[in-house]
Amino acid sequence: MPSRTEQPDSVGNVDPASSEPISGRVDVAIGAVETSLAALKEVSSLAGKIPYISPIAGIILQALKMRDDVKVYKEEWGAVMEKLANVGSVFVNVGEMCQAHDLKEDELPPGLRDILRTLQKDLDGMDDALQRCVDVRGIKKVLLRTDILRKVKQYDSKLSNVLQVFQANLILSLLTQLIQERKVTTHPSERSQTTEFISMPSKPQIFFGRDTELAQIIHMIFTNIGSHPAHIAILGPGGHGKTTLANAVLTHDRVQEYFGRARFFIPCESIFSSGALLVELAKSLGVFRSGSDASWSHIHAALVAKECILCLDNFESPWDQDSDTKHSVEQLLSRITELQSITVLITMRGTERPARTQWTQPNLPPLQTLSHGAGKQIWQKISDTYDESAEKLLNAVDYVPLAIDLLAHLSQVTPPSLLWKEWCKKQTGILQRGQAHKLLNVEYSIQLSIDSGRMKANPSAKDLLGVLSMLPDGMHIKQVDKFEEILGDIEMHSGLHVLQQCSLIIMSGERYQTHPIIRHFCNKQGFMSPRHEASLKEFYITLASSHHQEAHDYAEMVLEANNTKAMLFGLLQSNYEGHTRLVSAIINFTWFHQTIGDFSDKLISQTVDFVKQKHGDTSLLVKCLQEWGNLYRFSGNIEGAKHKMQQAESLCMSSSYQNTPLHVEILFQLGQVYETADALNEAKAVYEKASELQGTSGDVLVEGNCLYGLGRIYRVLGKLNEAEASLKRALELHQAADIALSQGNDYCLLGHTYTDMRKLDEAEKCFQKALEFHKTANNVLWQGNDHKGLGDTYSSLEKFSEAEASYQKALELHKTANLPYGQGQDYEGLGRVYLELHKLDLADASFQNAINYYGAAQSSLGQGYALNGLGRVLMERSQFKEAKSMLEKAQNIFEEVQDPRWTEYNQKFLNNAVSKMGKLSWK
């Protein structure tokens, strides 16, 4: 059998000479902001009290005025300018509020001070970058392009973060509360009804599939609550229901009864520092005070005053930052968890728990997707549209809670059948309800994880995510070093570590795998670079073309079987230019897949269409049809096998391939199909025709195959001497060709022939020799056949224990190879052993199994063998009438297929059954 592009950055396609002006609407808005900033900058009294105000106002003002002076990359800077104007607008409001209430620097909330300090530092850097764009000329604008655009993206991202905080009204609400506190003195222990209402969690109305996790958390909370308050982290990917589970904990009857109103839920998704976290905690406890020390003292007093339970939701936002910020956040959490009066619950994306806190053991495992039943319950609770299409949608999204919730809500308007059609086109693109929010848009939720601090700090992680998204079966741990060699520039081990930390991949068995939803999203977004994609394609097409009889190649092909198939499907749909190489690889891979029990014909079917569309060489089409026929034969679809082989022969007859080795090979395999269909005369005729033609081909392998086929027929017809001679000659030719698989087949069939000839010692040696060659060829199916042959030999030698063990081993291998006919033979052999041992119940069950498997393989002759065995069991039970009926069915089959040996053998038992019935009647 023949042996078996880099994605540019999103800014990379922008014309560096672009000079498209910022829109008039934006210019008007920026002009208004400039006026306000100029006024704010002149407030000298405020500038003296709060040193950030005047410098920041001045830098923003200067940057905005430079927008018309930028010579290159104006379009990119325009987007940054618009965001900067928005920041400036909110900043003016902050400054005016500070001025109106005569605030000083030490009276600012720590979260606001942190943001203003960072903003000033970032704006200084942006001012320098802008100046470079003003000054750059000629070739420099090309040479500096990458660096400048990187800085543009960097400042665009930083301004987005600032806006996210501002737009969440965090700063303004803190200032408002601070001003109110200055006017009204409130004792730290007093809490307003409003704060209490905000901090009090709400009971989830739709909660299915997390009962086990809920019970575990409740147990952890109350096991040592008096001496060791629980510290529990609810981890997992985005959209898996961490927040819902946390709310279910806080509203659990037992928790409500024990903690009462001392239950606090603090959302952290808009918090990016320990200072901001401290302020949010103080707000939730109703003890907000200016200054970090005073705030902590008030927080401490509130927390130790009474036992309470505190949930920090989306804790990854403040924690997953630069090392200094992460350290300070972990330190604050440690200060909270060291208090003996507080039970702490956090929810976090990922699989890593923050350091410096002793988490309650055993740790709660990261949340997985839901069961089918729970997913169905959620859908039905939201919508009454559950049907077959809804079932397919649940399966497609692999029961991710957020995806189910969104689909069920969408189905209130759009029928599931139409949603399914949309899913097939857009996949994750439909999993949203119109807003860029993590609870309303699955793609937005995934992007949040991809944009996390840990991912940004390790560029290899995102590249590796793109690679893994191309592999539906993931990456086996044994293949990590191989992929590092293939991909070259990806830090494999650190990338895998970060992806696991961020819950973007999981370890399933021994494989690193992405979740299907994440895989769809990454493929849609084009995370895979063209260079990595080309490397993967080359690896898999080479692997598919490998000679899988070599042990190393075979082991690797088994590990990569599903990924290889997916890649080959993809190559058929792509513009891959090496048509002949691709088709040859698929033919080789289809043969390999049969050896591991996969008989799906979708790949070879699409390959035939591909060859026809590309007007490929006729020999390629013949070989595809040939392999398709083999696949059908081994899967038990005999009519399908016959049709494909006949199509292949017709193509040979009508082309230049008539009477060639390829034509002879097709005839040989057509003979095998006839033989499997018990059409022995047709098989013999085809083998003889092939044998005549092979004389003109000079191909020893083809000649050996034809002689092997004739040997099979001679044996079935009871011409054992002719069978022996034919098989010995076939073996000589296959030895000359040095084909391990063919030599193993010859020895196996010789073994069966010697068993029929009662040359049992020679038979045993042949089967052992066959087993050696089939192990060398890594052919599981034929190893099963060898063990079955040994079972037959040991049965003839009345070594029934060895026979039973051999049949059981054969059955195990044939199950692995998913071969119905082989399993039928194995059960039949076991039945005959149990019959000899007079274990009639086991014999009965074995023969019944044999009938079922022979039926699945469409082998009437095999069913005849098993019916004979059942007849003999009934004879042993003295059920002669039933035995006669069973043996008559067997006799009809043997006569119909014209098998003289079994016709004679079965007739003896049938005569005996009739005789026994006659004696009973006479009595």
Side-chain angles (χ1 to χ4, degrees):
M1 190 112 8
S3 306
R4 289 258 189 244
T5 47
E6 194 166 313
Q7 181 106 343
D9 284 336
S10 58
V11 295
N13 295 324
V14 178
D15 181 3
S18 171
S19 59
E20 181 179 339
I22 301 172
S23 70
R25 175 184 59 80
V26 175
D27 275 333
V28 172
I30 289 178
V33 172
E34 285 176 333
T35 302
S36 300
L37 285 168
L40 184 63
K41 186 174 183 295
E42 298 305 318
V43 182
S44 56
S45 61
L46 180 60
K49 294 177 181 178
I50 305 177
Y52 307 111
I53 295 294
S54 183
I56 290 175
I59 295 171
I60 295 176
L61 188 60
Q62 179 181 342
L64 291 174
K65 287 181 177 179
M66 290 171 66
R67 69 187 184 278
D68 293 327
D69 297 327
V70 174
K71 303 301 181 186
V72 292
Y73 317 122
K74 294 191 71 171
E75 183 176 342
E76 292 86 346
W77 275 117
V80 177
M81 289 292 186
E82 188 170 357
K83 283 188 179 136
L84 184 61
N86 290 334
V87 171
S89 178
V90 180
F91 180 75
V92 168
N93 292 336
V94 173
E96 290 175 347
M97 188 172 293
C98 291
Q99 179 184 0
H101 296 281
D102 196 25
L103 296 179
K104 299 178 182 178
E105 180 186 1
D106 61 358
E107 294 176 327
L108 291 178
L112 178 56
R113 282 206 308 276
D114 289 345
I115 291 174
L116 293 178
R117 186 184 301 115
T118 302
L119 180 60
Q120 181 176 349
K121 180 180 176 182
D122 289 340
L123 288 173
D124 283 333
M126 189 176 78
D127 186 54
D128 291 339
L130 269 169
Q131 190 62 53
R132 292 181 71 189
C133 287
V134 171
D135 298 337
V136 71
R137 294 288 190 279
I139 191 64
K140 278 189 175 182
K141 73 181 183 181
V142 177
L143 297 176
L144 297 177
R145 172 184 176 79
T146 301
D147 183 52
I148 292 175
L149 288 179
R150 179 179 59 79
K151 288 185 179 296
V152 173
K153 292 176 69 177
Q154 178 183 354
Y155 290 117
D156 183 80
S157 175
K158 287 181 178 181
L159 290 174
S160 295
N161 288 339
V162 174
L163 273 176
Q164 185 178 5
V165 176
F166 280 150
Q167 288 170 347
N169 294 319
L170 171 64
I171 304 306
L172 294 180
S173 66
L174 291 179
L175 281 170
T176 302
Q177 185 170 344
L178 177 60
I179 293 162
Q180 289 174 344
E181 284 189 346
R182 295 185 70 200
K183 293 179 179 178
V184 181
T185 302
T186 305
H187 191 275
S189 64
E190 295 176 0
R191 302 188 181 110
S192 69
Q193 292 297 320
T194 302
T195 300
E196 197 169 88
F197 175 76
I198 293 173
S199 300
M200 194 65 67
S202 58
K203 191 178 186 70
Q205 296 185 28
I206 300 175
F207 185 76
F208 298 101
R210 298 292 185 211
D211 294 332
T212 300
E213 291 87 348
L214 178 59
Q216 182 179 346
I217 294 173
I218 298 301
H219 175 75
M220 292 165 74
I221 289 173
F222 288 101
T223 297
N224 296 300
I225 194 165
S227 56
H228 295 90
H231 307 141
I232 303 166
I234 301 177
L235 307 177
H240 276 51
K242 299 179 293 296
T243 300
T244 302
L245 177 57
N247 281 334
V249 171
L250 294 179
T251 55
H252 189 274
D253 291 344
R254 194 173 174 191
V255 172
Q256 289 192 72
E257 181 181 349
Y258 188 89
F259 292 102
R261 291 188 173 276
R263 294 172 291 125
F264 302 99
F265 181 89
I266 294 88
C268 302
E269 62 187 45
S270 298
I271 298 174
F272 305 102
S273 68
S274 59
L277 177 59
L278 196 68
V279 170
E280 191 65 28
L281 184 58
K283 286 175 58 183
S284 297
L285 295 171
V287 294
F288 183 82
R289 283 290 182 275
S290 62
S292 58
D293 292 337
S295 293
W296 172 247
S297 65
H298 292 152
I299 290 170
H300 181 276
L303 291 176
V304 299
K306 181 182 179 182
E307 282 189 273
C308 64
I309 182 169
L310 179 70
C311 175
L312 300 168
D313 187 46
N314 289 115
F315 193 70
E316 74 278 355
S317 292
W319 178 80
D320 193 7
Q321 303 293 330
D322 61 78
S323 56
D324 289 340
T325 302
K326 178 179 288 188
H327 175 81
S328 64
V329 168
E330 288 182 339
Q331 203 165 30
L332 175 56
L333 180 62
S334 177
R335 293 177 74 181
I336 295 170
T337 54
E338 70 185 7
L339 302 177
Q340 289 299 306
S341 57
I342 179 170
T343 296
V344 175
L345 191 66
I346 69 169
T347 73
M348 283 183 62
R349 288 172 179 245
T351 58
E352 183 182 6
R353 296 166 183 81
R356 295 184 175 83
T357 290
Q358 184 175 349
W359 300 99
T360 303
Q361 300 291 332
N363 289 320
L364 185 74
L367 298 186
Q368 303 297 316
T369 55
L370 298 175
S371 67
H372 170 267
K376 181 177 180 180
Q377 284 179 300
I378 290 174
W379 187 300
Q380 291 175 326
K381 193 76 171 179
I382 296 171
S383 174
D384 60 358
T385 60
Y386 194 84
D387 59 12
E388 184 179 345
S389 295
E391 185 93 6
K392 290 195 288 188
L393 285 164
L394 287 187
N395 186 61
V397 301
D398 197 28
Y399 307 99
V400 170
L402 176 59
I404 297 170
D405 180 277
L406 292 172
L407 285 169
H409 277 96
L410 290 171
S411 75
Q412 294 174 354
V413 177
T414 305
S417 58
L418 295 182
L419 286 176
W420 173 250
K421 289 181 180 178
E422 271 206 88
W423 167 265
C424 293
K425 293 178 184 176
K426 302 178 181 177
Q427 295 183 324
T428 54
I430 73 167
L431 300 178
Q432 52 91 15
R433 291 171 62 195
Q435 296 184 44
H437 188 279
K438 65 174 186 172
L439 296 181
L440 298 173
N441 188 313
V442 165
E443 292 192 343
Y444 181 80
S445 177
I446 295 171
Q447 192 65 54
L448 285 178
S449 295
I450 293 172
D451 291 341
S452 66
R454 285 167 290 183
M455 287 289 290
K456 289 179 178 177
N458 189 320
S460 285
K462 187 172 181 180
D463 289 337
L464 184 54
L465 182 61
V467 170
L468 289 171
S469 295
M470 291 282 287
L471 309 177
D473 212 19
M475 183 187 298
H476 197 280
I477 56 174
K478 293 181 179 178
Q479 293 289 88
V480 171
D481 291 340
K482 169 60 73 70
F483 276 95
E484 191 163 43
E485 177 185 331
I486 293 168
L487 300 170
D489 59 342
I490 293 181
E491 286 286 341
M492 198 66 61
H493 294 279
S494 67
L496 289 169
H497 180 66
V498 169
L499 290 172
Q500 283 184 289
Q501 284 181 318
C502 297
S503 283
L504 287 167
I505 64 172
I506 60 170
M507 193 72 180
S508 178
E510 295 186 311
R511 293 182 179 275
Y512 297 100
Q513 288 185 307
T514 58
H515 189 276
I517 283 184
I518 294 176
R519 186 164 66 248
H520 291 317
F521 173 74
C522 293
N523 288 334
K524 177 183 174 184
Q525 297 296 319
F527 279 16
M528 168 78 84
S529 75
R531 186 168 56 81
H532 291 152
E533 185 174 358
S535 298
L536 276 186
K537 287 178 178 178
E538 177 60 27
F539 167 69
Y540 280 108
I541 198 168
T542 301
L543 184 60
S545 305
S546 298
H547 185 55
H548 57 262
Q549 293 185 13
E550 298 295 331
H552 176 268
D553 290 342
Y554 181 82
E556 187 167 41
M557 288 180 80
V558 170
L559 289 178
E560 296 292 343
N562 292 332
N563 290 333
T564 306
K565 180 183 280 191
M567 192 64 67
L568 293 174
F569 271 121
L571 288 168
L572 286 175
Q573 305 302 320
S574 70
N575 294 320
Y576 188 80
E577 294 182 356
H579 299 160
T580 300
R581 185 183 180 212
L582 173 60
V583 173
S584 298
I586 292 174
I587 292 170
N588 188 66
F589 181 74
T590 302
W591 169 241
F592 157 75
H593 244 239
Q594 295 170 52
T595 69
I596 60 173
D598 186 334
F599 298 110
S600 169
D601 69 341
K602 188 175 181 181
L603 180 60
I604 195 68
S605 169
Q606 289 192 15
T607 305
V608 168
D609 293 339
F610 176 83
V611 174
K612 291 177 179 177
Q613 290 167 6
K614 301 295 182 181
H615 304 291
D617 188 89
T618 302
S619 67
L620 283 179
L621 190 54
V622 169
K623 290 174 182 177
C624 286
L625 291 168
Q626 172 191 12
E627 205 53 58
W628 200 347
N630 282 327
L631 185 148
Y632 278 156
R633 178 166 68 91
F634 283 113
S635 66
N637 182 354
I638 305 305
E639 286 303 313
K642 188 187 303 182
H643 178 64
K644 295 304 173 187
M645 290 300 184
Q646 288 171 341
Q647 278 185 304
E649 191 200 2
S650 296
L651 274 175
C652 286
M653 294 292 291
S654 61
S655 69
S656 60
Y657 293 98
Q658 184 176 4
N659 301 338
T660 62
L662 178 59
H663 185 195
V664 176
E665 189 176 348
I666 297 298
L667 287 171
F668 164 67
Q669 291 179 338
L670 180 58
Q672 289 185 306
V673 173
Y674 283 132
E675 188 181 346
T676 305
D678 303 326
L680 303 183
N681 291 330
E682 290 90 336
K684 183 172 181 292
V686 171
Y687 285 140
E688 287 173 342
K689 180 181 177 181
S691 188
E692 291 172 8
L693 290 179
Q694 64 80 23
T696 63
S697 72
D699 190 311
V700 294
L701 175 59
V702 174
E703 183 179 356
N705 289 345
C706 294
L707 288 167
Y708 169 81
L710 283 171
R712 288 169 61 102
I713 294 299
Y714 286 138
R715 175 179 172 253
V716 173
L717 295 175
K719 298 180 180 181
L720 300 181
N721 291 329
E722 290 90 335
E724 180 186 13
S726 187
L727 290 169
K728 282 185 174 180
R729 178 58 183 153
L731 181 58
E732 291 174 5
L733 293 169
H734 287 146
Q735 286 171 339
D738 193 25
I739 305 297
L741 178 62
S742 297
Q743 292 176 72
N745 296 353
D746 297 335
Y747 273 116
C748 183
L749 191 53
L750 264 174
H752 284 296
T753 304
Y754 285 137
T755 299
D756 295 340
M757 298 170 77
R758 306 303 295 172
K759 296 180 180 180
L760 301 181
D761 290 339
E762 289 90 333
E764 183 178 1
K765 290 176 185 177
C766 282
F767 286 126
Q768 294 290 4
K769 198 72 176 175
L771 193 55
E772 291 176 18
F773 279 107
H774 287 141
K775 284 181 178 177
T776 300
N778 291 296
N779 194 299
V780 173
L781 184 155
W782 273 98
Q783 289 176 56
N785 293 346
D786 301 332
H787 281 289
K788 191 267 178 186
L790 283 170
D792 292 343
T793 303
Y794 291 138
S795 289
S796 298
L797 291 169
E798 297 186 357
K799 296 179 179 180
F800 296 120
S801 295
E802 292 90 332
E804 181 183 8
S806 293
Y807 286 133
Q808 292 286 8
K809 182 62 177 177
L811 182 60
E812 175 188 327
L813 291 164
H814 285 145
K815 282 182 178 177
T816 300
N818 193 23
L819 185 69
Y821 184 80
Q823 293 175 70
Q825 288 185 310
D826 303 331
Y827 275 119
E828 181 206 337
L830 282 169
R832 297 191 185 283
V833 167
Y834 294 138
L835 187 59
E836 293 294 336
L837 297 174
H838 209 69
K839 297 179 179 179
L840 300 183
D841 289 343
L842 288 175
D844 190 314
S846 296
F847 286 128
Q848 293 287 359
N849 282 330
I851 288 174
N852 292 335
Y853 279 103
Y854 279 134
Q858 300 181 27
S859 173
S860 57
L861 187 57
Q863 289 183 308
Y865 301 151
L867 288 168
N868 169 271
L870 281 175
R872 292 182 59 191
V873 170
L874 292 167
M875 289 281 289
E876 290 294 322
R877 289 173 170 167
S878 299
Q879 296 175 255
F880 302 120
K881 182 178 179 181
E882 293 84 350
K884 174 178 175 290
S885 175
M886 201 68 68
L887 292 165
E888 284 176 340
K889 291 179 182 178
Q891 193 70 8
N892 290 335
I893 290 174
F894 297 140
E895 290 175 355
E896 183 178 345
V897 300
Q898 302 178 24
D899 187 320
R901 292 183 308 150
W902 273 90
T903 300
E904 181 181 353
Y905 179 75
N906 189 73
Q907 186 66 53
K908 294 177 181 177
F909 291 102
L910 180 55
N911 292 341
N912 192 19
V914 172
S915 174
K916 294 285 187 182
M917 286 178 62
K919 289 180 180 179
L920 286 175
S921 175
W922 180 80
K923 288 182 180 179

